[in-house]
């Protein structure tokens, strides 16, 4: 076995543990499709829609009740009978099936997963919510799933997952005084803002001294917002910092009797921790990563993102000089409203009260409304015991129940037209926290509190700039100078072996990519009986990047019942190009640009393409949720960036104005499967090219058995082929059965 296969990332090791039915000696690698049986699966307010999906599959019993956690956290301020009825239905369902349940007001689901030990180091936990990445802050591989996946896990204990490419982010230096984990992730989102980690799993690492400067609260904030950075997970190591935090939790649990609101779930015991650290897993030193980035923490200062974009990031001192007046401030969300964050915000007002001179304010500015909501009841209790919660209330903060609230644009205190807000939450997309005519900024809890105090975006003055620092040091690689590296003889030898393996692998890849004819002695994929060994057809090309789900299937049809397949076929891609329906034909292969299917999680984006009788979509890359929904609904897809490049070259389509395309298509507010789906990216098409959908005369063939595609560029054009990702048997089975729901029904029938 190649040493590259022996050396694994932490992500690959965890997925290996939680993969179901792997062939003997199979080593899980990035790119593999696997059947996963996660340690935990959390659903929140969308638990009832998941339950309806579960029952529609013919399921009547949850496969493993201990695998499932249900929380109510998103719309808890909504006291309408409709919402209260839904909440009762979820609670009754949970009780009936013996599932751990946390009612409205108990806390945000992600925080509960961490503080109750469901998100356990070294395990895989999923949730029907995009911020499940947060679990990576405690060494748990957390990643989001959609409703159908959650229902499949309830019914069978399993769903499928493609292991993403893994990016390694190395921290160097240490956090200066006055800089927080929130500043780290805000800076990362803004400084690496060209999709460097889009659809990647991230592993954070650094020297022991560096990682000691990042406490667990900092790590949770960083991991949480890797979602906004574009990643599918953000994983921190299981190290001494985490161990100390866990030991404290175990001691506290042993000394504290469970409250009436706590579910009898005792993960934090010293015996359990002894077992964890006796069998601690970590990434291998020479594990191969898809990308390497670094950030020198010592060079970082407080940063603010916005307005209305996590990619627009500015050092705080530059915004302070602009005296940007605010109307509302928010210390809410699963990102930054733990007791640690509440203490930082309270300190701002306590310090102001100590040093207040006559005529100087030590309370929330009269022109500002400052809303606070703890991540959970437990965190609020800690803050109350420390006097921090009361300090904020006395300063004029307005309390909200422990839940998502304004972060998701629900309940009291939303931004009104023309207002400016600053929040310690995770998203500031236009309209996310209220009016689309408002401006929203994101910052650390102390900056939010200082801004509420002064009435303008400002900091508390805690930052101490290190000497000889001029700008944030970051880049590609690990950030360690060669002269500073210290390696043992064994480590040096391992590095040489790894480099040799890289040379061999790259040479093999070059040989495969340049091949224009069949090769012998290449590995093949097992094909299920009746599954097509080849899929072929003429290429119809939609030359645009970021074609979102509203472009594929118009939002106005999403919630219309009984839309016929014929109608779905007619309106397929109509928001992108009204002429698509008359241009594309049955059996065509649809080829599009990059990030195809971004936006909301509507499943009709996949089923409409199937209704058009297009069996395969090829793209430079896919939006992650679209990829999941495609397989869940039996639509095949394959990524071939080279084909997109060749089409653009061959048809002489200018790319000089590729960024100046159509305005963003606004998602209807109901088009959200998880209640926090981000808005779609703007569809991008060349401004000088009128033909949105093109019949090319090119032939595309996907040889599933050989994991190879072949392209014939017209009658007398070039012929070339290349290897692509494998479509393994477990995914073939889902597609062959007509999608995940039908696969679940079959599994239930067989087990019954």
């Amino acid at each position: 076995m190649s040493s590259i296969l022996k050396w694994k990332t932490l992500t690959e090791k965890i997925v290996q543990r939680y993969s179901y039915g792997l062939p003997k000696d199979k080593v899980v690698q990035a790119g593999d499709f696997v059947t996963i049986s996660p340690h935990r699966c959390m659903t929140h307010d969308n638990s009832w829609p998941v339950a309806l999906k579960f029952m529609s599959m013919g399921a009547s019993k949850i496969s493993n009740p201990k695998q499932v956690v249900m929380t109510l956290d998103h719309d808890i301020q909504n006291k309408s009978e409709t919402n209260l009825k839904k909440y009762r239905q979820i609670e009754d369902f949970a009780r009936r099936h013996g599932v751990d349940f946390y009612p409205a007001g108990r806390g945000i689901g992600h925080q509960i997963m961490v503080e109750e030990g469901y998100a356990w180091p070294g395990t895989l936990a999923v949730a029907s919510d995009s911020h499940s990445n947060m679990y990576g802050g405690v060494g748990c591989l957390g990643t989001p799933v959609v409703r159908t996946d959650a229902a499949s896990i309830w019914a069978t204990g399993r769903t499928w997952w493609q292991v993403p490419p893994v990016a390694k982010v190395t921290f160097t230096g240490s956090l200066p005084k006055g800089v927080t984990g929130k500043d780290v992730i805000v800076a990362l989102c803004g400084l690496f803002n060209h999709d460097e980690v889009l659809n990647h799993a991230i592993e954070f690492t650094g020297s022991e001294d560096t990682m000691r400067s990042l406490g667990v609260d900092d790590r949770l904030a960083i991991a949480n917002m890797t979602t906004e950075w574009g990643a599918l997970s953000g994983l921190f190591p299981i190290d001494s910092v985490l161990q100390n935090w866990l030991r404290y939790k175990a001691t506290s649990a042993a000394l504290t009797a469970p409250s009436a609101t706590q579910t009898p779930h005792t993960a934090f015991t010293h015996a359990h921790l002894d077992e964890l650290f006796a069998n601690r897993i970590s990434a291998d030193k020479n594990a191969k990563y898809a990308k390497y980035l670094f950030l020198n923490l010592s060079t970082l200062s407080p940063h603010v993102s916005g307005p209305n974009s996590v990619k627009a990031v500015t050092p705080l001192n530059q915004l302070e000089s602009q005296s940007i007046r605010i109307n509302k401030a928010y210390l809410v969300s699963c990102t930054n409203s733990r007791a640690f964050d509440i203490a930082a915000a309270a300190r701002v007002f306590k310090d102001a009260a100590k040093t207040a001179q006559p005529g100087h304010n030590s309370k929330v500015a009269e022109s500002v409304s400052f809303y606070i909501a703890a991540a959970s009841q437990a965190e609020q209790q800690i803050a109350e015991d420390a006097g921090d919660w009361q300090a904020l209330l006395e300063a004029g903060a307005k309390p909200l129940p422990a839940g998502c609230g304004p972060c998701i644009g629900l309940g009291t205190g939303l931004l009104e037209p023309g207002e400016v807000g600053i929040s310690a939450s995770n998203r500031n997309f236009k309209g996310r926290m209220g009016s689309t005519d408002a401006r929203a900024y994101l910052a650390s809890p102390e900056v939010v509190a200082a801004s509420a105090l002064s009435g303008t975006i400002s900091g508390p003055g805690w930052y101490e700039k290190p000497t000889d620092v001029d700008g944030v040091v970051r880049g590609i690689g690990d950030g360690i100078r060669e002269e500073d590296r210290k390696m043992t003889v064994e480590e040096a030898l391992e590095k040489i072996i790894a480099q040799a393996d890289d040379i061999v692998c790259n040479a093999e890849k070059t040989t495969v990519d340049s091949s224009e004819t069949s090769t012998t002695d290449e590995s093949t994929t097992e094909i299920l009986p009746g599954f097509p060994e080849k899929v072929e057809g003429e290429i119809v090309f939609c030359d645009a990047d970021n074609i979102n789900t509203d472009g594929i299937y118009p939002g106005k049809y999403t919630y219309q019942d009984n839309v016929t397949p014929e109608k779905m076929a007619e309106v397929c891609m109509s928001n992108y190009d009204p002429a698509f329906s008359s241009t594309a034909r049955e059996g065509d292969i649809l080829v599009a640009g990059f990030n195809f299917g971004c936006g909301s999680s509507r499943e009709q984006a996949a089923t409409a393409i199937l209704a058009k009788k297009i069996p395969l979509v090829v793209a430079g890359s896919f939006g992650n949720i679209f990829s999941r929904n495609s397989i869940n609904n039996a639509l095949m897809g394959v990524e071939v960036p080279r084909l997109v490049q060749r089409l653009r070259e061959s048809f002489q389509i200018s790319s000089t104005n590729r960024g100046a395309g159509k305005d963003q298509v606004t998602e209807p507010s109901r088009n959200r499967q998880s209640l926090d789906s981000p808005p779609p990216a703007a569809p991008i098409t060349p401004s000088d090219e009128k033909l949105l959908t093109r019949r090319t005369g090119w032939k595309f063939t996907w040889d599933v058995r050989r994991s190879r595609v072949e392209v014939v560029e017209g009658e007398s054009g070039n012929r070339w082929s290349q290897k692509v990702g494998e479509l393994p048997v477990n995914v073939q089975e889902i597609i062959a059965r007509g999608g995940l729901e039908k696969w679940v029904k079959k599994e239930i029938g067989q087990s019954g």
Side-chain angles (χ1 to χ4, degrees):
M1 179 186 294
S2 166
S3 55
I4 281 183
L5 292 182
K6 290 189 294 184
W7 293 323
K8 297 169 67 177
T9 66
L10 179 56
T11 300
E12 290 167 337
K13 287 186 177 184
I14 294 175
V15 176
Q16 183 90 36
R17 281 185 171 185
Y18 289 91
S19 292
Y20 178 90
L22 288 177
K24 184 180 179 181
D25 299 325
K26 167 64 178 175
V27 177
V28 171
Q29 301 177 80
D32 287 345
F33 287 90
V34 293
T35 299
I36 56 170
S37 181
H39 179 61
R40 302 290 183 192
C41 174
M42 189 272 285
T43 55
H44 47 62
D45 291 36
N46 58 21
S47 296
W48 187 242
V50 174
L52 294 175
K53 178 83 68 174
F54 168 83
M55 291 182 284
S56 74
M57 293 174 171
S60 58
K61 179 181 178 182
I62 289 181
S63 174
N64 177 9
K66 293 304 177 186
Q67 189 181 29
V68 179
V69 181
M70 296 183 190
T71 67
L72 301 180
D73 59 6
H74 273 55
D75 202 15
I76 64 173
Q77 297 179 48
N78 182 356
K79 303 302 181 183
S80 69
E81 179 54 34
T82 299
N83 194 56
L84 293 177
K85 178 182 178 181
K86 182 178 74 173
Y87 278 8
R88 288 194 298 269
Q89 290 172 320
I90 293 171
E91 182 172 7
D92 290 346
F93 184 91
R95 302 296 185 205
R96 192 163 65 251
H97 289 273
V99 168
D100 286 358
F101 171 79
Y102 294 84
R106 171 60 178 80
I108 301 172
H110 299 307
Q111 176 62 27
I112 289 171
M113 290 288 285
V114 170
E115 72 183 34
E116 293 293 335
Y118 295 109
W120 192 251
T123 68
L124 171 63
V126 302
S128 58
D129 185 281
S130 60
H131 286 106
S132 46
N133 293 30
M134 187 178 104
Y135 313 151
V138 291
C140 169
L141 180 58
T143 195
V145 294
V146 297
R147 286 181 188 171
T148 304
D149 297 310
S152 174
I153 292 169
W154 289 9
T156 68
R158 312 188 299 278
T159 190
W160 67 274
W161 199 53
Q162 185 177 21
V163 186
V166 187
K168 184 177 184 179
V169 177
T170 301
F171 294 131
T172 62
S174 59
L175 280 184
K177 183 178 179 181
V179 181
T180 70
K182 183 58 164 283
D183 296 304
V184 173
I185 189 59
V186 165
L188 286 171
C189 289
L191 299 175
F192 296 99
N193 61 3
H194 296 290
D195 295 336
E196 286 90 342
V197 296
L198 180 65
N199 292 335
H200 282 61
I202 297 174
E203 293 185 14
F204 295 104
T205 187
S207 70
E208 186 175 350
D209 287 342
T210 293
M211 299 308 282
R212 268 201 298 263
S213 74
L214 292 169
V216 169
D217 289 284
D218 289 316
R219 297 178 182 199
L220 290 169
I222 294 169
N224 182 290
M225 278 190 65
T226 56
T227 301
E228 281 63 47
W229 199 15
L232 299 178
S233 63
L235 189 59
F236 277 84
I238 305 170
D239 61 4
S240 60
V241 173
L242 179 60
Q243 182 173 9
N244 291 338
W245 183 83
L246 291 168
R247 290 295 184 188
Y248 175 80
K249 292 280 289 183
T251 300
S252 298
L255 297 175
T256 307
S259 69
T261 61
Q262 287 181 304
T263 296
H265 173 75
T266 54
F268 296 106
T269 67
H270 286 291
H272 198 181
L273 295 180
D274 290 341
E275 180 184 354
L276 169 67
F277 286 99
N279 300 284
R280 183 176 70 93
I281 62 171
S282 60
D284 294 325
K285 287 185 178 180
N286 287 311
K288 180 70 174 176
Y289 292 86
K291 292 184 179 177
Y292 298 83
L293 305 174
F294 74 89
L295 175 69
N296 186 329
L297 300 181
S298 297
T299 65
L300 193 62
S301 66
H303 276 62
V304 178
S305 75
N308 299 345
S309 172
V310 294
K311 291 187 176 183
V313 172
T314 309
L316 172 64
N317 61 354
Q318 294 182 23
L319 291 181
E320 284 181 308
S321 65
Q322 299 176 32
S323 299
I324 300 172
R325 300 192 63 81
I326 66 167
N327 305 98
K328 292 186 172 81
Y330 305 91
L331 180 57
V332 299
S333 86
C334 53
T335 315
N336 278 120
S337 58
R338 283 169 283 280
F340 176 85
D341 308 304
I342 296 167
R347 181 187 160 194
V348 172
F349 291 96
K350 290 178 181 179
D351 287 354
K354 289 177 184 177
T355 59
Q357 300 294 324
H360 285 75
N361 183 41
S362 61
K363 297 185 181 298
V364 175
E366 291 185 3
S367 59
V368 176
S369 295
F370 182 23
Y371 296 93
I372 61 173
S376 70
Q377 280 186 351
E379 292 295 313
Q380 182 173 327
Q381 187 62 56
I382 295 170
E384 289 178 356
D385 293 343
D388 296 324
W389 188 259
Q390 292 90 326
L392 291 176
L393 297 182
E394 290 169 4
K398 301 178 179 181
L400 297 173
C404 301
C407 174
I408 190 64
L410 296 170
T412 300
L414 304 187
L415 289 172
E416 300 293 336
E419 288 189 331
V420 176
I422 188 167
S423 177
S425 53
N426 45 40
R427 282 187 179 153
N428 59 348
F429 300 134
K430 189 175 183 180
R432 162 82 174 185
M433 299 182 69
S435 171
T436 56
D437 293 324
R439 288 183 292 156
Y441 294 84
L442 301 179
S444 67
E446 45 264 57
V447 169
V448 168
S451 302
L453 175 67
S454 68
T456 62
I457 294 179
S458 54
W462 300 344
Y463 172 58
E464 296 181 1
K465 182 179 178 180
T467 58
D468 302 324
V469 169
D470 184 21
V472 181
V473 176
R474 80 281 187 186
I476 307 299
D478 61 12
I480 302 173
R481 297 181 304 175
E482 288 302 320
E483 58 266 32
D484 293 335
R485 296 185 191 276
K486 297 179 181 179
M487 289 189 290
T488 65
V489 173
E490 288 183 352
E491 289 172 337
L493 181 60
E494 287 180 345
K495 181 179 178 181
I496 293 171
I497 294 172
Q499 290 172 340
D501 274 336
D502 279 348
I503 292 171
V504 172
C505 287
N506 288 335
E508 290 175 347
K509 183 177 186 297
T510 301
T511 300
V512 166
D513 285 350
S514 62
S515 173
E516 295 187 359
T517 58
S518 299
T519 59
T520 58
D521 300 326
E522 63 181 13
S523 61
T524 59
T525 300
E526 178 186 352
I527 301 296
L528 284 178
F531 195 87
E533 292 196 16
K534 292 185 178 181
V535 182
E536 56 188 359
E538 181 182 346
I539 292 174
V540 58
F541 184 36
C542 294
D543 181 42
D545 297 331
N546 301 321
I547 297 178
N548 58 56
T549 50
D550 196 71
I552 301 169
Y553 189 75
K556 65 182 180 180
Y557 296 105
T558 303
Y559 290 94
Q560 290 186 20
D561 295 331
N562 302 319
V563 178
T564 65
E566 292 76 17
K567 184 64 176 180
M568 294 182 75
E570 178 188 333
V571 303
C572 178
M573 300 291 291
S574 60
N575 269 5
Y576 163 74
D577 179 12
F580 178 86
S581 179
S582 59
T583 304
R585 303 168 187 165
E586 179 179 344
D588 281 344
I589 306 298
L590 171 60
V591 179
F594 293 84
N595 202 23
F596 181 80
C598 57
S600 76
S601 52
R602 68 190 70 165
E603 295 187 344
Q604 294 97 325
T607 55
I609 293 173
L610 286 171
K612 187 64 178 171
K613 297 185 179 179
I614 292 173
L616 174 66
V617 180
V618 182
S621 63
F622 291 101
N624 180 62
I625 289 181
F626 180 83
S627 292
R628 294 210 63 81
N629 280 331
S630 293
I631 291 178
N632 286 351
N633 289 280
L635 174 65
M636 292 182 284
V638 62
E639 295 183 351
V640 189
R642 179 183 174 188
L643 175 58
V644 178
Q645 179 183 352
R646 286 294 303 135
L647 285 164
R648 286 174 172 168
E649 291 171 350
S650 300
F651 291 100
Q652 299 179 343
I653 298 172
S654 170
S655 61
T656 56
N657 296 312
R658 198 168 295 281
K662 297 178 180 179
D663 293 334
Q664 176 172 303
V665 177
T666 302
E667 291 282 0
S669 60
R670 294 177 62 199
N671 292 343
R672 294 180 295 190
Q673 182 162 308
S674 171
L675 294 180
D676 65 349
S677 296
I684 300 175
T685 58
S687 60
D688 58 351
E689 177 62 33
K690 296 182 179 179
L691 195 59
L692 298 178
T693 305
R694 177 190 298 273
R695 298 202 65 80
T696 63
W698 292 21
K699 183 179 179 182
F700 182 92
T701 303
W702 180 21
D703 189 328
V704 180
R705 181 180 294 279
R706 295 167 57 231
S707 300
R708 177 176 289 276
V709 298
E710 180 181 81
V711 176
V712 180
E713 299 181 353
E715 290 187 9
S716 58
N718 295 331
R719 178 191 299 264
W720 55 270
S721 68
Q722 73 171 63
K723 290 285 285 186
V724 293
E726 179 187 25
L727 190 72
V729 169
N730 61 330
V731 178
Q732 291 177 36
E733 186 178 7
I734 293 171
I735 294 172
R737 289 185 179 177
L740 190 59
E741 287 192 40
K742 293 180 180 178
W743 176 86
V744 169
K745 289 180 180 180
K746 187 73 176 292
E747 290 294 302
I748 293 171
Q750 290 177 347
S751 63

